[in-house]
Amino acid sequence: MHHPRAVLSLTLALAALLSAACEPDPLDVDASVTTHPVADTLPVLGQGIVAERFTGEVASRGSYAYTTTWSSRAGVRGNGVKVWNVAGAQPQLVDSLIVEGAQTIGDVQISDDGALLMVATERTDGSIVLYDLANPAKPNLLSRFMSDATRFAGVHTAKFGRVGGRLYAFLSVNPAPPRLVIVEVTDPLHPVQVLERTMGNPFIHDVFLRDGILFTALWNDGIAIWDLGGGGSGGSPANPILLGSTPTVGGQAHNVWWYHDSAGQKRYAFVGQEGPSVIGSGASGDVHVLDVSNLKAPREVAFYHVPGAGPHNFAMDEASGTLYAAFYNGGVRVLDVRGDLAVCSSEERAADGRCDLGLMKREAAVALTAGSYIWGVARNGDRLFASDMIKGLFVVGLRH
Amino acid sequence: MTSDSRVSGAAALLRFSLFLFATLGGFGPLGGQMRPMNDESGMGIRAIGLVTEARPGLLGENRRGWYLTQPIVSLHDPGAHLSSQMMLNFEAWTLKEGELNAGTWGEGFVDKRHPHTFLHEMVFTLHTDSVGSAFSLTGGRGFAPFGSDDPMVRPFVKFPANHHWSQVMERWVVVGAARLSSHLGVEAGVFNGDEPTGPRSRGETSRIGDSRAARITLWPARALELQVSRALVESPEHVDGGGLDHRKWHASGRLSFDVGTSAVYGFMEWTRTDQYTQAEDLAYSFSSTLAEAAVDMSRFLVAARWERTTRPEEERLEDPFRSARPPADESVIGVTRWNSVSFHMAASANGSDFALSPFVELSRHSVQEISGGIFDPATFYGSTRQWTLSAGIKLLSGVQHSRAGRYGAALRPFDQPMMNH
């Protein structure tokens, strides 16, 4: 060796590199935080095990519940919908639907009249699939809608909504360019696309329609509110007119629920923030509370945080002022959202001025907080159906 | 045995050959006279034909693929004050479905290396020298001043898993470099953060300047190069922005010297990439440590590589070697740590205009899920341990890249970017 100084330098450099190499693997700080252990306060009444596929969203009406499957598990594609008879405490699997050609499915919805079931397919060949629920135990395929707006991307979520007596499906299509696609499904055998509009930064993940007003969850662009016929601005499903918008703290606005309380107040919208997650072990993000009493100037007033976990989809019992939030590894969180959520003491307020619902003792109950990874929740009477991505369908009792 | 992603064989080879024929007609004979480095314009070609077998490749099944990889034409014009270099890469024709390469990932390919862009590199460098120092300004499409040399100019044919952690390439760059003494060099540059979306990707020119990188290099001795670099890359996986930003550190040591007629090469690197949301919250962190060494005894080359790298696991598409680009959300289904050991042996037969180098490469990979996510390597691959065996022939002719990732004053006079094969 002709380079003693080189050897010395290299030795020192290698020692430094080796010491760096011996550091533990850096992992996501939030995702590696274990959620604060809390005791479940709601009972699990039953479980429908799904082991061969990962479970996605859940929808329920009457004596039936429907769960989707997602991605691929040990080579088995998430292209099935499970049909459960939930008349008893223990869900009974009564049928399975396979969506031909689907790479994965995610969202599932039941129309407000209980006549239709809608399933969204993702990745390429994105579509919505409509089933007749005349026999809810045996959904009957009616049609599948796919257009150039969905074909080369995926329908991440699809929601039913009625405007002027006509039934529409609202499709959140990703990835780039993210776009809202509205399809009229009044005649479910012949769906008709009425709108394709680019929105979302960089995603649009979900929407909420009520009274002709559409809320869109636009990730880093927050929430936008559109007149589709109920806002007095001349909007329609074919031509939504923007009423207002606001970013949410931290971005990643994923889903939204516009709450109408039992007194007729329409002041708050709840937004789920889907932060980075390691599916199966950790998640991040908060529930954000927007004051939308002025639809043209929404503003965030409160939030709810679970360390090491993050929300996904919501269900509500509006009459009792109860929000049910699927919280991935944090299980199911039940929030009391009655009254004024924007007024709190200084001790209950975050540094940025927002009220902290946790500190305000608004967490009313929890369930499935150990070993679960909850995608969605659906309330049906005095029971809550929760879809666990790993284990399947859980039935949670709401009387506590 | 499942045969996977074969070269669409003759057609791809024919296209590449026709391109070479047409190109050579314009530039004259290959620069195969073993001219001194960098004293004149030159052109080079490079291509590797190989077969790779992965045991197991997927779901317990072995996978095999035949490839024409790294089909490249290089052009170099070393002027006194203005130089240029270009590298055209034709993997879009020969590696449409990627190349079996366990552990490697990026640009929507997983466990297969993605094809690089046609215009892999095209840079122009203004440079000036004064006593003991040198300055340069480089612009064009190429490497950001970050990390280590492109694996293509290193001893192994198969890329390490950390390719997307340790290099930032195929970007529109403006890089200023200064060699302040024989022992110290600094570089700083701006570029577009978006990574290619496919081999025909030209990059989002409107994003030039949204990302930046800088590197400090020490040369304690002629044989040794030490560097530390930092890159802030905006939303590489979303062309329109808004995705996770990457903040990267890299440190490495590179040793290169001769012993008699043999050339000895040693290299070690550590790198870390932290991914942040648009709200500046840390989402994920990944790291890699790699060491490799080689001895080139003119007619024979032996090399060894060790690597420990963590990578994200994302939902696979219908093709299990692909993931969605851009992704549809910011979640992952797991984080895996890859421990790999590789050996490479090659012989070399030099003609007057070319070098042919038959080689064999063997790798042993151990993969472990470390985040508690739902990705299960034992199920997905069929084992947590994999073997990869590759054998083939490398063809080199004319002027070749000897370094890839540095321009102008960031290189020492005897450490030039291009050399004859």
Side-chain angles (χ1 to χ4, degrees):
Chain A
M1 171 65 77
H2 306 290
H3 307 283
R5 196 162 58 154
V7 172
L8 176 63
S9 300
L10 184 64
T11 304
L12 291 172
L14 291 181
L17 287 170
L18 277 172
S19 106
C22 292
E23 286 179 11
D25 286 306
L27 272 180
D28 165 31
V29 173
D30 247 3
S32 62
V33 170
T34 305
T35 53
H36 289 320
V38 292
D40 287 355
T41 55
L42 295 174
V44 173
L45 305 178
Q47 182 190 358
I49 295 172
V50 179
E52 89 286 1
R53 288 173 165 90
F54 294 119
T55 295
E57 180 61 296
V58 58
S60 180
R61 184 184 175 96
S63 297
Y64 291 89
Y66 307 88
T67 56
T68 58
T69 55
W70 175 82
S71 191
S72 175
R73 186 173 194 171
V76 181
R77 206 180 293 175
N79 59 353
V81 180
K82 307 274 186 182
V83 182
W84 307 87
N85 184 323
V86 292
Q90 203 66 251
Q92 303 295 320
L93 184 66
V94 295
D95 197 9
S96 292
L97 313 171
I98 296 297
V99 180
E100 294 297 332
Q103 294 183 31
T104 184
I105 55 181
D107 209 357
V108 60
Q109 292 282 304
I110 300 170
S111 59
D112 56 1
D113 58 4
L116 297 176
L117 183 78
M118 175 166 61
V119 175
T121 74
E122 278 204 85
R123 310 290 171 245
T124 55
D125 291 343
S127 67
I128 54 170
V129 189
L130 295 167
Y131 297 89
D132 180 3
L133 284 182
N135 178 357
K138 291 277 182 189
N140 183 40
L141 178 64
L142 291 174
S143 63
R144 183 169 184 173
F145 172 82
M146 184 188 299
S147 72
D148 286 345
T150 67
R151 189 185 314 279
F152 306 108
V155 181
H156 189 71
T157 60
K159 293 287 185 290
F160 281 118
R162 212 172 281 276
V163 180
R166 307 191 74 80
L167 187 64
Y168 294 90
F170 297 83
L171 284 55
S172 298
V173 177
N174 294 287
R179 74 211 87 151
L180 171 69
V181 174
I182 302 179
V183 180
E184 184 179 348
V185 294
T186 308
D187 176 0
L189 289 172
H190 303 97
V192 178
Q193 180 175 313
V194 299
L195 177 83
E196 175 190 358
R197 184 173 293 182
T198 299
M199 60 179 74
N201 173 26
F203 314 118
I204 174 174
H205 261 213
D206 211 344
V207 304
F208 188 91
L209 179 97
R210 191 170 210 169
D211 299 343
I213 305 291
L214 182 73
F215 290 69
T216 53
L218 304 179
W219 213 257
N220 295 318
D221 283 348
I223 296 296
I225 305 171
W226 307 83
D227 173 22
L228 265 63
S233 298
S236 69
N239 183 32
I241 303 293
L242 182 66
L243 295 174
S245 66
T246 183
T248 50
V249 174
Q252 298 147 346
H254 166 267
N255 62 302
V256 58
W257 186 294
W258 186 19
Y259 169 40
H260 292 193
D261 70 16
S262 55
Q265 296 274 338
K266 305 174 183 177
R267 184 177 174 188
Y268 295 115
F270 304 103
V271 177
Q273 175 190 2
E274 187 178 25
S277 65
V278 178
I279 292 175
S281 71
S284 60
D286 294 342
V287 175
H288 300 265
V289 182
L290 305 186
D291 183 334
V292 294
S293 47
N294 180 354
L295 294 173
K296 295 181 179 178
R299 62 190 182 91
E300 183 165 344
V301 295
F303 69 101
Y304 170 70
H305 175 74
V306 176
H312 199 214
N313 294 334
F314 299 157
M316 281 204 76
D317 176 1
E318 295 189 329
S320 69
T322 306
L323 174 73
Y324 303 97
F327 241 87
Y328 282 139
N329 54 314
V332 175
R333 304 287 165 147
V334 183
L335 300 180
D336 174 359
V337 292
R338 293 172 297 176
D340 197 334
L341 303 177
V343 174
C344 56
S345 67
S346 57
E347 291 77 24
E348 297 166 337
R349 198 177 291 279
D352 62 6
R354 294 176 300 154
C355 291
D356 183 332
L357 298 188
L359 296 177
M360 293 166 69
K361 311 292 186 199
R362 292 291 189 144
E363 183 181 274
V366 298
L368 299 168
T369 55
S372 297
Y373 206 81
I374 306 299
W375 171 303
V377 286
R379 179 179 159 268
N380 188 342
D382 59 359
R383 295 184 299 170
L384 189 75
F385 296 95
S387 54
D388 182 333
M389 294 183 71
I390 316 298
K391 299 171 184 168
L393 176 65
F394 281 98
V395 185
V396 176
L398 294 181
R399 289 183 181 150
H400 58 284
Chain B
M1 168 66 63
T2 302
S3 206
D4 187 76
S5 299
R6 292 164 192 271
V7 176
S8 49
L13 192 58
L14 182 62
R15 286 174 88 178
F16 183 56
S17 303
L18 286 173
F19 176 84
L20 285 182
F21 181 77
T23 309
L24 295 180
F27 282 85
L30 292 172
Q33 303 302 312
M34 300 300 286
R35 296 184 298 270
M37 302 172 198
N38 294 298
D39 62 346
E40 58 184 281
S41 299
M43 173 181 172
I45 63 170
R46 170 192 180 97
I48 302 171
L50 80 163
V51 57
T52 296
E53 181 159 326
R55 289 175 170 261
L58 204 66
L59 291 172
E61 289 186 343
N62 299 334
R63 294 270 172 158
R64 183 184 294 167
W66 299 78
Y67 305 102
L68 178 63
T69 188
Q70 301 177 26
I72 285 167
V73 173
S74 302
L75 300 171
H76 182 224
D77 183 12
H81 296 290
L82 173 64
S83 64
S84 62
Q85 62 192 65
M86 180 163 76
M87 187 191 293
L88 301 175
N89 185 310
F90 299 91
E91 288 175 342
W93 294 347
T94 65
L95 295 182
K96 281 180 183 171
E97 304 301 322
E99 175 188 344
L100 267 180
N101 198 146
T104 296
W105 65 280
E107 297 179 23
F109 287 78
V110 194
D111 299 317
K112 283 188 174 181
R113 184 175 67 75
H114 58 79
H116 284 105
T117 56
F118 274 114
L119 189 57
H120 192 61
E121 184 179 53
M122 182 182 67
V123 294
F124 299 88
T125 300
L126 286 166
H127 44 88
T128 180
D129 295 341
S130 61
V131 180
S133 61
F135 303 90
S136 65
L137 182 66
T138 298
R141 184 171 168 90
F143 292 81
F146 175 81
S148 50
D149 282 349
D150 187 329
M152 205 166 55
V153 301
R154 288 154 47 188
F156 286 81
V157 172
K158 292 296 174 183
F159 277 39
N162 72 7
H163 180 39
H164 275 250
W165 299 145
S166 292
Q167 289 90 37
V168 179
M169 57 201 294
E170 296 178 323
R171 306 300 216 279
W172 294 105
V173 298
V174 178
V175 182
R179 194 169 65 250
L180 302 173
S181 74
S182 60
H183 298 299
L184 175 65
V186 295
E187 301 158 83
V190 294
F191 54 96
N192 57 307
D194 54 301
E195 66 182 19
T197 55
R200 289 170 177 78
S201 172
R202 287 173 292 185
E204 185 55 54
T205 52
S206 67
R207 289 186 54 186
I208 294 174
D210 74 355
S211 299
R212 52 198 188 277
R215 177 162 54 197
I216 298 175
T217 303
L218 296 174
W219 295 287
R222 181 185 174 95
L224 182 62
E225 177 183 285
L226 304 172
Q227 68 82 35
V228 175
S229 48
R230 173 80 163 151
L232 306 176
V233 187
E234 294 288 313
S235 185
E237 294 174 351
H238 287 265
V239 172
D240 297 327
L244 298 175
D245 297 331
H246 294 193
R247 300 179 189 173
K248 303 161 78 75
W249 282 106
H250 187 279
S252 66
R254 183 180 188 274
L255 190 63
S256 176
F257 60 91
D258 294 335
V259 177
T261 58
S262 297
V264 178
Y265 159 85
F267 172 73
M268 186 166 181
E269 68 181 341
W270 168 85
T271 186
R272 174 174 172 147
T273 296
D274 296 328
Q275 301 184 348
Y276 283 81
T277 69
Q278 294 297 301
E280 309 265 312
D281 294 326
L282 178 65
Y284 308 104
S285 291
F286 302 96
S287 67
S288 173
T289 307
L290 180 149
E292 63 188 19
V295 179
D296 186 350
M297 297 164 282
S298 296
R299 292 291 177 186
F300 298 98
L301 182 146
V302 293
R305 180 170 74 197
W306 168 84
E307 182 185 14
R308 182 178 189 260
T309 293
T310 55
R311 77 173 196 194
E313 296 296 339
E314 300 165 290
E315 268 193 272
R316 307 290 178 108
L317 301 181
E318 192 165 12
D319 176 347
F321 293 100
R322 303 295 297 271
S323 59
R325 281 294 178 278
D329 58 29
E330 294 175 353
S331 66
V332 298
I333 60 173
V335 176
T336 50
R337 180 197 296 128
W338 289 73
N339 287 299
S340 303
V341 178
S342 302
F343 299 97
H344 174 99
M345 290 188 297
S348 180
N350 290 323
S352 58
D353 288 345
F354 63 88
L356 280 176
S357 177
F359 68 90
V360 176
E361 205 166 288
L362 180 68
S363 297
R364 171 77 159 160
H365 310 281
S366 169
V367 55
Q368 181 185 5
E369 207 291 320
I370 59 172
S371 68
I374 58 176
F375 181 78
D376 177 12
T379 303
F380 188 81
Y381 296 112
S383 173
T384 57
R385 289 182 169 77
Q386 294 176 271
W387 289 96
T388 304
L389 178 64
S390 298
I393 297 179
K394 180 189 294 185
L395 166 69
L396 301 175
S397 185
V399 174
Q400 300 290 320
H401 279 67
S402 63
R403 303 294 302 271
R406 290 169 171 266
Y407 302 113
L411 291 159
R412 294 173 293 179
F414 52 85
D415 199 11
Q416 289 298 327
M418 312 293 283
M419 61 180 293
N420 277 296
H421 68 76

